[in-house]
Amino acid sequence: MSSPTVGVLALQGDTREHLAALREAGADAITVRRPAELAAVDGLVIPGGESTTMSHLLREFDLLEPLRARLADGMPAYGSCAGMILLATEIADAGVPGRAALPLHGIDMTVRRNAFGRQVDSFEEDIEFTGLDGPVHAVFIRAPWVERVGPDVEVLARAAGHPVAVRQGRMLATAFHPEVTGDRRVHKLFVNSLA
Ligand code: GLN
C-alpha cells in the first residue's frame, strides 16, 4: 500500500518539525500554501504557532473557505496547539476583533486560547494518553485547553483536569507539541488513521 500524502499548513508556525515527524511516521509529507495543494492531500496537519496570525494568512492566501469546506467534507486533520485552536467550532479569548483566531469547525469543541498561559506560560508534563502504550511527554507552550466537547468528541488526555487531547472521527487535536519531542506515536496515530 502506498503512503498517504499528508499536508502541513505552512503559513506560519513549526511546519518543519511536523514535516519531519510525519515522514518518520510513514507519510509522504508536503507543505500546503495554496488551494491546489490543499486539494491534493489525504489529510492535513495544522501546526503550532500563533492562531491569530494563521487565521489572517488563511484569508490572505484564499485558503480559509477551501479549508473549511474540506474539513466539512470529512478530510482528516490533526492540529497541535494553535492548530487545535483553529480546528474548534468555538474559540474563547479568540483575540481582538478583526485580528481574531477564526474557527475552522473541524471538531465540535470550545477551546480557550492561552488558557494555561495565565498561570504558567510553558511547562512539560508526562501525561496518560488513551490508546498509546505508556505516557506521553507533553510540551505546552502558551497552550490552550478544551472547555467544552460535543457528544461525538473523545477526550484522550488531560492536564490540570482539562482536556488537552481530543478526537472526533479522523480529526485529532492536542494542546501540546509532540512534534518537538522524538516521540512519534501521536503522529503515527494520525497517519495510521488515514490508511
Ligand atoms: N497561544 C498560541 C495561539 O493562540 C498557541 C501557541 C502555540 O501554538 N504554541 O495560537
Side-chain angles (χ1 to χ4, degrees):
M1 199 194 64
S2 64
S3 313
T5 301
V6 181
V8 179
L9 187 65
L11 303 177
Q12 188 265 340
D14 67 341
T15 309
R16 219 163 27 122
E17 288 79 0
H18 277 289
L19 288 169
L22 286 166
R23 285 172 187 146
E24 285 174 32
D28 280 337
I30 63 164
T31 55
V32 168
R33 286 190 196 88
R34 295 184 181 82
E37 291 163 343
L38 177 63
V41 297
D42 300 315
L44 185 73
V45 168
I46 306 178
E50 177 46 56
S51 54
T52 55
T53 305
M54 268 188 244
S55 296
H56 174 70
L57 293 172
L58 279 169
R59 275 218 172 108
E60 293 284 303
F61 282 71
D62 292 323
L63 275 172
L64 183 64
E65 292 313 324
L67 179 47
R68 281 180 170 156
R70 279 222 64 190
L71 291 169
D73 209 37
M75 175 182 68
Y78 165 46
S80 70
C81 202
M84 170 186 251
I85 296 168
L86 294 175
L87 280 179
T89 40
E90 201 183 355
I91 302 169
D93 238 334
V96 293
R99 300 295 287 189
L102 302 170
L104 297 172
H105 305 284
I107 297 177
D108 181 11
M109 62 179 174
T110 304
V111 175
R112 179 167 294 278
R113 269 180 76 233
N114 302 333
F116 291 103
R118 281 186 228 102
Q119 299 157 28
V120 49
D121 244 15
S122 301
F123 62 101
E124 303 186 12
E125 196 176 303
D126 289 340
I127 59 174
E128 293 301 326
F129 193 114
T130 304
L132 298 185
D133 54 337
V136 169
H137 186 69
V139 177
F140 294 88
I141 305 165
R142 291 180 55 74
W145 68 42
V146 178
E147 281 194 351
R148 177 198 64 84
V149 291
D152 297 330
V153 179
E154 252 178 292
V155 174
L156 302 176
R158 291 176 185 269
H162 301 277
V164 291
V166 295
R167 177 166 58 197
Q168 180 177 354
R170 294 198 295 172
M171 299 208 197
L172 181 69
T174 61
F176 54 91
H177 294 269
E179 71 277 14
V180 303
T181 69
D183 186 346
R184 301 305 179 217
R185 288 177 296 164
V186 174
H187 286 81
K188 279 188 183 145
L189 198 65
F190 179 59
V191 170
N192 292 344
S193 78
L194 302 177

